[in-house]
């Protein structure tokens, strides 16, 4: 055996061919044989950054062209090595074509992969099964494409999990099938994230904020983000509306968008109106100011229409707070 290997080695050397040995790890080789062992150099031997591999990897260079943020991806454990192992044609191109076929815009592909690179490791069979499940629940193709674009992890979850999430929201909020679909399509990450913050916010709305179940349902239908809002911020803005501005529950339910507004915006505008003695939020009284107008109007319009003041005066007032 050793004689045969030696003969082959000499032949390869004569033909000027570098070889990779497939010998036992315990078998001794001489210095000349060791020098001739070739190590593939398609990729840099080691690096802490994916950018060093872009010129050598078709997969990475194509992902960069799509707008994928490699810097963010390499911060995540094992993602860099996972991407380097992918074959562009079989692993990446097929998934990109799949996403385009279901209606995802080209401009969204980079965003999706930047946030969920693991979609590239999913089988086409699984991806198709999950899309077909959503369509079976009467989500239109355009809606499915929009949901996937806004919630990149959506297609990484099994049909069983997606179905359990749909059932959770329908049961917890006592929603019809159509309303459940409406809420989820507007905030598709509800099907992806943890349910614990959602359960916590539902408890907060009922127990701490004092809303009735049917009021919570109305709020969620109008502003699904309430389910995933920061609990402290939700309590803070409700406290200001209800206890400082004296807005009753039923008016907050009528204009639930106010719960999704920046606290500082509500506070500054209310205090300015209060300073001008115009903070009137009771619809049964003269000079009533609706909550939706309070939060939605641009500063200039807010000043001219609601406060009857100059924008410069409001800016000066803000500096005193």
């Amino acid at each position: 055996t050793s004689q045969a290997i030696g003969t082959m080695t000499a032949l390869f050397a004569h033909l000027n061919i570098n070889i990779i040995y497939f010998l036992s790890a315990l078998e001794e080789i001489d210095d000349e044989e060791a020098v001739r062992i070739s190590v593939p150099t398609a990729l840099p031997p080691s690096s802490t950054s994916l950018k060093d591999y872009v010129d050598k990897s078709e997969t990475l260079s194509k992902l960069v062209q799509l707008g994928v943020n490699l810097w963010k991806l390499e911060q995540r454990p094992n993602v860099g090595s996972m991407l380097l192992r992918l074959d562009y044609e079989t692993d990446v191109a097929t998934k990109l074509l799949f996403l385009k076929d279901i209606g995802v815009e080209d401009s969204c592909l980079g965003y999706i992969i930047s946030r969920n690179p693991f979609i590239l490791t999913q089988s086409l069979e699984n991806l198709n099964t999950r899309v077909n499940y959503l369509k079976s629940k009467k989500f239109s193709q355009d809606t499915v494409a929009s949901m996937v674009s806004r919630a990149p992890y959506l297609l990484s979850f099994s049909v069983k999990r997606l179905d359990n999430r749909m059932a959770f929201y329908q049961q917890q909020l006592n929603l019809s099938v159509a309303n459940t679909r409406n809420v989820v399509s507007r905030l598709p990450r509800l099907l992806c994230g943890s349910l614990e913050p959602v359960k916590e916010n539902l408890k907060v709305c009922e127990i701490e904020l004092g809303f009735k179940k049917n009021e919570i349902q109305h709020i969620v239908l109008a502003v699904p983000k309430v389910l995933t809002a920061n609990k402290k911020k939700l309590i803070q803005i409700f406290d200001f509306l209800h206890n400082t501005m004296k807005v009753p529950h039923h008016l907050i339910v009528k204009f639930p968008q106010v719960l999704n507004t920046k606290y500082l915006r509500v506070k500054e505008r209310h205090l300015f109106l209060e300073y001008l003695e115009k903070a009137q939020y009771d619809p049964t009284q003269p000079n009533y100011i609706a909550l939706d107008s309070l939060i939605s109007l641009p500063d200039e319009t807010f000043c001219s229409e609601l406060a009857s003041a100059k924008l410069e005066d409001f800016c000066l007032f803000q500096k005193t707070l």
Side-chain angles (χ1 to χ4, degrees), residues 58-91:
E58 182 186 13
T59 296
L60 292 186
S61 63
K62 291 289 178 63
L63 291 179
V64 168
Q65 290 171 25
L66 279 175
V68 173
N69 191 328
L70 294 185
W71 182 83
K72 278 190 176 181
L73 290 180
E74 69 188 10
Q75 312 301 314
R76 299 165 64 176
N78 305 318
V79 170
S81 58
M82 181 268 289
L83 291 175
L84 287 170
R85 288 195 297 270
L86 297 178
D87 177 79
Y88 179 74
E89 293 299 331
T90 59
D91 298 318

Side-chain angles (χ1 to χ4, degrees), residues 120-283:
L120 300 175
T121 66
Q122 296 286 329
S123 72
L124 288 175
E125 182 182 3
N126 283 340
L127 293 175
N128 265 311
T129 299
R130 291 157 194 171
V131 167
N132 288 336
Y133 164 77
L134 293 172
K135 289 181 178 178
S136 76
K137 294 297 180 180
K138 307 301 181 185
F139 290 100
S140 70
Q141 177 149 333
D142 286 346
T143 300
V144 171
S146 174
M147 290 169 68
V148 172
S149 300
R150 289 178 291 129
Y153 273 95
L154 184 62
L155 297 184
S156 289
F157 296 113
S158 68
V159 165
K160 182 178 180 181
R161 173 168 169 149
L162 293 175
D163 198 52
N164 286 340
R165 290 299 171 89
M166 292 282 288
F168 169 83
Y169 293 111
Q170 185 173 353
Q171 292 165 9
Q172 288 291 313
L173 296 163
N174 195 27
L175 298 174
S176 66
V177 172
N179 281 337
T180 304
R181 186 167 56 244
N182 177 279
V183 169
V184 168
S185 64
R186 288 162 59 206
L187 193 64
R189 70 171 184 264
L190 289 173
L191 297 177
C192 305
S194 169
L195 287 178
E196 292 311 309
V198 174
K199 292 176 181 177
E200 187 68 23
N201 278 8
L202 289 173
K203 285 183 183 177
V204 165
C205 286
E206 184 176 2
I207 299 171
E208 294 188 44
L209 307 188
F211 289 107
K212 299 172 184 175
K213 287 185 181 294
N214 65 316
E215 291 177 327
I216 296 172
Q217 181 194 75
H218 180 86
I219 290 170
V220 170
L221 283 171
V223 190
K225 283 185 179 180
V226 166
L227 292 172
T228 56
N230 179 282
K231 183 177 74 169
K232 288 183 179 178
K233 290 182 179 178
L234 189 60
I235 293 172
Q236 181 188 45
I237 196 163
F238 172 83
D239 180 65
F240 190 82
L241 288 164
H242 190 60
N243 298 319
T244 301
M245 295 171 60
K246 306 303 180 185
V247 179
H249 283 82
H250 74 271
L251 282 184
I252 297 175
V253 172
K254 187 176 180 180
F255 303 110
Q257 292 82 359
V258 73
L259 295 173
N260 192 42
T261 305
K262 289 183 179 179
Y263 170 73
L264 189 60
R265 183 181 184 86
V266 176
K267 179 181 177 181
E268 288 177 342
R269 291 188 173 197
H270 165 71
L271 292 178
F272 186 57
L273 290 172
E274 189 177 54
Y275 171 74
L276 297 172
E277 298 184 347
K278 294 179 181 291
Q280 170 56 267
Y281 310 111
D282 184 348

